[in-house]
Amino acid sequence: MVKKMEELISFLKTNGFVFQGSEIYGGLANSWDYGPLGAQIKLNLKNLWWDFFIKSNPYNVGLDSSILLNNKVWKASGHIDGFNDPLVDCKNCQSRWRADKLIEEKFPEVNAAKMSYQELEDFLKTKEIKCPKCGKTDFTPIRNFGLMFKTQQGVLEDENSVVYLRPETAQGIFINFKNVQRSLRKKLPFGIGQMGKSFRNEITPGNFIFRTREFEQMELEFFFAPDDQTDWFAYWMTMVKKFLVEVLQLDESNFRFRAHDQTELAHYSTQTVDVEFDFPFGWGELWGIANRGNFDLTQHIQNSAADLTYLDPTTNQKIIPYVIEPSVGLERLLLAIFCQFYVIEELKDGTSREVLKLPRALAPYLVSVMPLQKNLAQPSQKIYADLLASGINATYDETGNVGKRYRRQDAIGTPFVITYDYDSETDQKVTLRDRDTMEQTRVKINDLVDYLKR
Ligand code: ATP
């Protein structure tokens, strides 16, 4: 496991995974761009989530709803009135903080998220909590800070043109519940999942890609009848764990399930369990699994003219389904993956190597093809082209000595390297090196595709 974030960030930048956003203009605070390898690994991760939670799950279907929604959606969901954080400024250095986070960092046992603004102010004062930047204890009164990004739609800049960038993908699912149910003739229980960008004007973003203002979510809303006796919450907890352990190969000792106590629950939730990951900066929420009851559908029924109820075909009764929501941030999951799989390995000969021990399905490239010497480039490139044509995600590398090229591929997580050498000319075999064991085997060129697709 990575111990220091700075080491990981520098590694990811050097190797083309993540760059600072708007870097050539001095950056834009807490924004990150994903380089060629980062973009590929993100896509692989999204595909794995989609395959596991949508394509291969018997209950679920997918959706891709808009980022900009009618303001009435956010009014009904409670975001316009309630999606706020308590903001304080340090009077001395003018830095801005979330009052509840200042308290929780100093007193982790305190649940500051549930305190009233008056209680937060009193707590800051009586416990003499210091500004993390300048160490002074003089803060402004708390102000309500709306987390949704506001923008304008259309040419007129008046009140009616205001729209918000969605702070979660979930509401796009709730408002389409009936569309999906009717058009696909779905019967309860069933789930609707989607992934896409969400935006939150976080007061204190940070810890690299852990908390940003623009991020991607992968959310599932699973609808079931109120009288369904199945423990769907337990089912989805098991599925999330299965995905983390069996698909992503995350080590069970690196994450834990933590149930919210009654005081911590969000207004819409009757039960919430967070999956927390042991990041270098401490345990942090990775995945939230919430029982949202029928809160959202009820709100939209009351605030729109739509009938979002479900007609139970056996009882002929109209019901409002209950919902379990497993929701995860793509970049947080990616950070957990980087933290676990980036290792610096000491070798027997006293040297060390950087390896990204990614599972095959996540690796940006499955295989790298290289000629032993540049004069063997032509047949090597033929193998490379054939692999690409067979749908194998391959790369080609002929610069530097072979040892260096191996190290480069280890660092970007390529599970296999194929080397074409002088013997290949006669025996029509190549050397296939395994990233993790570093073992080398001779494989017939004609068998490569089968071997790699195993
Ligand atoms: P936090 O307490 O960390 O702010 P949250 O409880 O508000 O998170 P949810 O609203 O439950 O988060 O969102 C579901 C998931 O979306 C989180 O578990 C997390 O993985 C991801 N997420 C939420 N906010 C951010 C953010 N600002 N940056 C990156 N990912 C985020």
Side-chain angles (χ1 to χ4, degrees):
M1 278 283 281
V2 167
K3 296 270 180 310
K4 287 198 187 116
M5 286 299 283
E6 304 78 55
E7 270 171 29
L8 179 67
I9 297 170
S10 137
F11 162 80
L12 292 173
K13 183 174 177 185
T14 314
N15 288 287
F17 286 95
V18 186
F19 307 126
Q20 194 192 348
S22 310
E23 191 175 13
I24 64 164
Y25 288 103
L28 173 69
N30 297 291
S31 71
W32 302 96
D33 290 343
Y34 290 80
L37 304 183
Q40 186 61 54
I41 193 172
K42 259 180 143 178
L43 191 62
N44 294 348
L45 185 50
K46 288 204 277 191
N47 285 337
L48 289 176
W49 181 90
W50 191 270
D51 286 349
F52 185 87
F53 286 96
I54 309 293
K55 258 167 86 177
S56 62
N57 186 283
Y59 304 109
N60 298 340
V61 290
L63 181 78
D64 183 10
S65 71
S66 305
I67 287 177
L68 302 176
L69 304 178
N70 188 316
N71 287 349
K72 288 177 184 164
V73 175
W74 306 117
K75 185 80 190 151
S77 67
H79 283 86
I80 285 184
D81 298 323
F83 197 51
N84 307 309
D85 275 340
L87 176 80
V88 285
D89 290 356
C90 168
K91 283 191 185 162
N92 180 53
C93 71
Q94 274 79 48
S95 57
R96 300 204 138 160
W97 306 97
R98 252 177 81 173
D100 55 332
K101 291 283 172 209
L102 282 180
I103 291 172
E104 281 172 3
E105 254 153 47
K106 209 85 202 110
F107 298 91
E109 70 286 0
V110 172
N111 183 6
K114 285 285 160 183
M115 287 183 178
S116 69
Y117 284 7
Q118 192 57 54
E119 284 168 335
L120 288 170
E121 278 179 18
D122 293 347
F123 199 100
L124 285 174
K125 266 198 201 107
T126 50
K127 300 286 179 192
E128 296 193 330
I129 291 185
K130 292 190 178 117
C131 166
K133 197 166 163 207
C134 71
K136 292 277 180 332
T137 55
D138 199 7
F139 293 102
T140 59
I142 289 172
R143 273 174 297 144
N144 219 6
F145 183 76
L147 292 177
M148 283 201 292
F149 276 94
K150 231 183 205 178
T151 186
Q152 243 127 19
Q153 172 164 276
V155 287
L156 288 177
E157 288 197 13
D158 60 15
E159 232 174 64
N160 297 328
S161 64
V162 168
V163 284
Y164 297 93
L165 303 187
R166 70 179 173 198
E168 61 174 33
T169 66
Q171 295 307 321
I173 296 179
F174 293 123
I175 59 174
N176 278 293
F177 167 72
K178 203 70 189 206
N179 282 338
V180 173
Q181 190 268 322
R182 254 203 222 122
S183 58
L184 275 88
R185 293 186 291 282
K186 294 297 285 181
K187 294 214 165 59
L188 291 180
F190 72 93
I192 307 176
Q194 77 167 331
M195 45 193 169
K197 292 264 183 181
S198 291
F199 302 82
R200 297 182 187 180
N201 200 2
E202 301 271 4
I203 298 173
T204 43
N207 284 329
F208 187 38
I209 54 173
F210 178 82
R211 187 181 301 285
T212 49
R213 294 188 171 118
E214 171 184 346
F215 55 99
E216 264 184 90
Q217 288 186 308
M218 303 189 287
E219 298 198 290
L220 175 72
E221 306 302 324
F222 184 77
F223 302 91
F224 59 99
D227 62 359
D228 187 337
Q229 295 302 305
T230 318
D231 189 348
W232 289 114
F233 200 93
Y235 172 82
W236 287 110
M237 275 189 13
T238 308
M239 292 304 272
V240 165
K241 183 168 176 187
K242 205 170 146 79
F243 181 72
L244 292 173
V245 175
E246 292 175 21
V247 180
L248 302 184
Q249 296 172 29
L250 287 180
D251 200 326
E252 276 189 56
S253 62
N254 289 335
F255 67 86
R256 65 184 184 197
F257 285 85
R258 189 184 66 81
H260 285 206
D261 63 33
Q262 282 303 315
T263 59
E264 208 181 338
L265 290 175
H267 63 283
Y268 53 76
S269 173
T270 52
Q271 182 184 11
T272 296
V273 172
D274 286 345
V275 182
E276 297 182 331
F277 189 84
D278 191 6
F279 290 104
F281 45 83
W283 290 93
E285 176 181 333
L286 182 65
W287 207 313
I289 306 165
N291 183 342
R292 296 179 80 119
N294 60 12
F295 173 82
D296 303 272
L297 288 179
T298 305
Q299 286 296 109
H300 292 304
I301 288 169
Q302 287 169 358
N303 287 277
S304 72
D307 177 10
L308 298 179
T309 56
Y310 172 83
L311 186 69
D312 189 325
T314 43
T315 61
N316 226 16
Q317 299 269 313
K318 278 185 169 185
I319 54 171
I320 306 176
Y322 280 17
V323 175
I324 306 286
E325 172 197 73
S327 164
V328 64
L330 173 65
E331 292 83 357
R332 278 200 196 171
L333 198 50
L334 189 59
L335 183 59
I337 287 164
F338 284 141
C339 287
Q340 177 176 311
F341 292 113
Y342 172 61
V343 286
I344 297 174
E345 209 173 62
E346 304 298 331
L347 301 175
K348 283 196 194 104
D349 64 3
T351 60
S352 64
R353 65 170 185 152
E354 283 180 315
V355 201
L356 201 55
K357 294 200 164 183
L358 294 171
R360 274 170 167 226
L362 278 173
Y365 301 113
L366 178 62
V367 61
S368 172
V369 184
M370 47 181 73
L372 185 68
Q373 302 276 334
K374 274 193 182 156
N375 59 356
L376 296 170
Q378 211 185 14
S380 310
Q381 278 173 359
K382 160 106 179 55
I383 294 175
Y384 169 55
D386 289 347
L387 290 177
L388 289 183
S390 311
I392 287 176
N393 197 2
T395 179
Y396 179 80
D397 190 1
E398 60 174 30
T399 39
N401 69 45
V402 171
K404 274 207 183 115
R405 282 184 260 162
Y406 280 163
R407 292 287 175 274
R408 201 151 53 217
Q409 295 305 322
D410 290 343
I412 64 168
T414 312
F416 299 105
V417 173
I418 289 169
T419 310
Y420 188 96
D421 57 25
Y422 293 106
D423 289 340
S424 309
E425 302 276 272
T426 45
D427 66 5
Q428 288 302 300
K429 288 181 178 170
V430 285
T431 302
L432 191 90
R433 175 184 176 271
D434 181 287
R435 175 195 68 199
D436 298 335
T437 62
M438 294 196 282
E439 268 168 21
Q440 305 189 1
T441 30
R442 296 289 285 179
V443 177
K444 277 197 197 142
I445 294 170
N446 283 340
D447 293 344
L448 275 175
V449 172
D450 287 344
Y451 191 98
L452 291 168
K453 282 198 168 167
R454 269 198 315 210

